[in-house]
Amino acid sequence: PEFVFHVAEGKVAISRRQRGTPIDQAVAELMILANSTWAGELHAAGQPALYRVQNGGKVRTSTVAGPHDGLGVAQYMWASSPLRRYADLVNQRQLIARARGEPVVYGSKDTALLAAMRDFEAAYEIYGEFQRNMERYWSLRWLLQEQVATVTGVVLRENLVRLDQVPITQRVPSLTAATSGMRVELAVGAVDLLELSVDLDFTAVLEPQ
């Protein structure tokens, strides 16, 4: 699930983003179609790009095309948002050169392409970590603001629980003998906004939804 945060005059509001609407699905499918088609065009021509490859559950960037298991496509790359991601801009440079019949901007062993891949991966990880910490901070603020005493969640594996009300996923040491998919109720303890931590204690197993 994705969440929407709204902060006004120090008050936090958190809601789930509604997904699966016809327009959402149309945009998502068209982006996958465009990005996988463009990746296939460069791959068929033997041209390098910043491809997105997923196998074994892990997604990585590669200058060589490979299947993206999660999307179910033979090759994939980001190229539809050049104003938002530098990787898309790099890939569009390759695509434009291909469409014009010109030599590609980046060769297979081009140090500039390899540097762009490394820099993008590093920046993407930093951005993701910042986003996770920001969402966790406002989630903890919301727990304090609403004086939440108990929360519910689903066990992902072992004692790792994803909460329903806010985008927090963490281990609950008091939860033992749990199985994946189990729904549980947890008591909310001390919240530390500096450490971005919250104490959660297992209280009960809930019926599946």
Side-chain angles (χ1 to χ4, degrees), residues 10 59-60 114 129 136 180:
V59 182
R60 59 186 175 86
L114 297 175
E129 182 67 19
R136 188 176 181 90
S180 178

Side-chain angles (χ1 to χ4, degrees), residues 9-107:
E9 298 180 355
K11 187 173 179 63
V12 188
I14 302 176
S15 60
R16 283 202 179 194
R17 177 175 179 265
Q18 297 300 314
R19 306 196 65 179
T21 62
I23 189 63
D24 269 357
Q25 287 203 308
V27 171
E29 293 292 341
L30 287 172
M31 287 181 64
I32 293 171
L33 175 62
N35 288 328
S36 61
T37 300
W38 289 336
E41 174 72 17
L42 291 181
H43 174 56
Q47 295 175 349
L50 297 183
Y51 298 98
R52 296 292 287 175
V53 179
Q54 183 187 42
N55 47 47
K58 183 174 178 58
V59 182
R60 59 186 175 86
T61 304
S62 172
T63 58
V64 179
H68 193 297
D69 294 343
L71 297 175
V73 294
Q75 59 277 312
Y76 190 75
M77 68 183 186
W78 282 332
S80 56
S81 302
L83 296 180
R84 186 163 60 94
R85 285 185 300 247
Y86 185 68
D88 298 57
L89 180 61
V90 169
N91 288 332
Q92 284 213 2
R93 288 172 179 162
Q94 298 292 80
L95 286 165
I96 290 170
R98 169 71 176 162
R100 289 175 174 171
E102 301 171 352
V104 291
V105 179
Y106 306 99

